[in-house]
Amino acid sequence: MKAARISDSIWALHADIDSTDRFEGIWPIPNGVSLNSYLVRGEKTALIDLVRDWCGAAANLTSQLADAGIEPSSIDYLILNHLEPDHTGWLAEFKAQNPGVQIIATAKGIELVKSFYKIDEGLRAVKSGDALDLGGVTLHFEETPNVHWPETMMTFEPISGTLFSCDAFGSYGTLGKRVFDDEYYAEEHAFFQGESLRYYANIVGSFSLFVKRAIQKLAPLGIKVVAPSHGIIWREKPQTIIDRYLKYADYMEGPQEKEICVVWGSMYGNTKRGLEALLKGIEDERVPFSLHRVPDEDVSFVLADAFKSAGIVIAMPTYEYRMFPPMAYVLDIFERKHVWNRKALRIGSWGWVGGAKKEYDEKVASLKWTHVEGVEWAGAPDEATLALLRERGRELARAVKAG
Ligand code: FEO
């Protein structure tokens, strides 16, 4: 990959990560992810966001800096918008190559430089409204806490109108040789839209209130280019990704899409049979739904659909007096990621004795879900139960449509 030019003074550098390692050690990335950094050159030189040395990312960054005529050792300022190690993991090695570099971050970010990397020299804390004059080009800093962790800030370059937003406005998915929005076809954008939603739900979703606050704060800047540290750089239609993020942020508490995310697990097919009847009820009302079987499907994908859907079905059997264990994990993630304010329905079979309901009720108590009355049955569902399940499916679908 070559460095791509954003303006006379700004280069986009990126490394594509194709790895079976999970992102944050949790989230699968079958389509990879990019780690983007940015070089800004005035009379002085700044590098914005670094990489973790993952799948050759550090060598890649060095080679793209060389494309732009820069050695790591000649960079004057390293700006760290966010300290998570996907953007800073290579910091100690970089600092060893360039001991004189000045590292710029928020005060909380500087503390993390010290704790993560044991670096305590050449550090400069900045706050909202501070600027860095590179000679001919100036960078402005805005604190945007909790997008994605408390120390986060964004950097803005007003001549080109480029916002370096780090995790915000990012996506999973590698970029290859094309980094700008206007270089992708509509169907490719549809793919990235799906991966941006999954990224948002996985990484940023629980901070949605802060996302909205940050977007409000940044609106007066006159953003012409959105340059995140994962995914596409938006220079033709930057508002597309900003609006998309605003919509995703709304999903946390609502409104969500009038769709139903069905999450199910079944041991011997009895819960599955009941679910099939319920799905007919949803189809009767023509409400779109997504189906996710656990534990077969990773929670990363389940969460993406749950995050955007107004309705949720949880179908699982009782297992050893409690919930089906893979579903307990899914609900734990829903709780952590603030999948709030849904219309919900829980169904499931039990064999020897029940128990899933009690644990489920406790688990979802904090999620502010409005439930259609659930259905539980012993063993195989009989005809009356199947008819009831179909009716409850209709009821949920109608509730979702009503909003
Ligand atoms: Fe891409 Fe929160 O790090």
Side-chain angles (χ1 to χ4, degrees), residues 23 82 84 86-87 148 167 230:
F23 195 72
H82 173 36
E84 191 158 4
D86 52 330
H87 308 291
H148 146 234
D167 277 355
H230 304 292

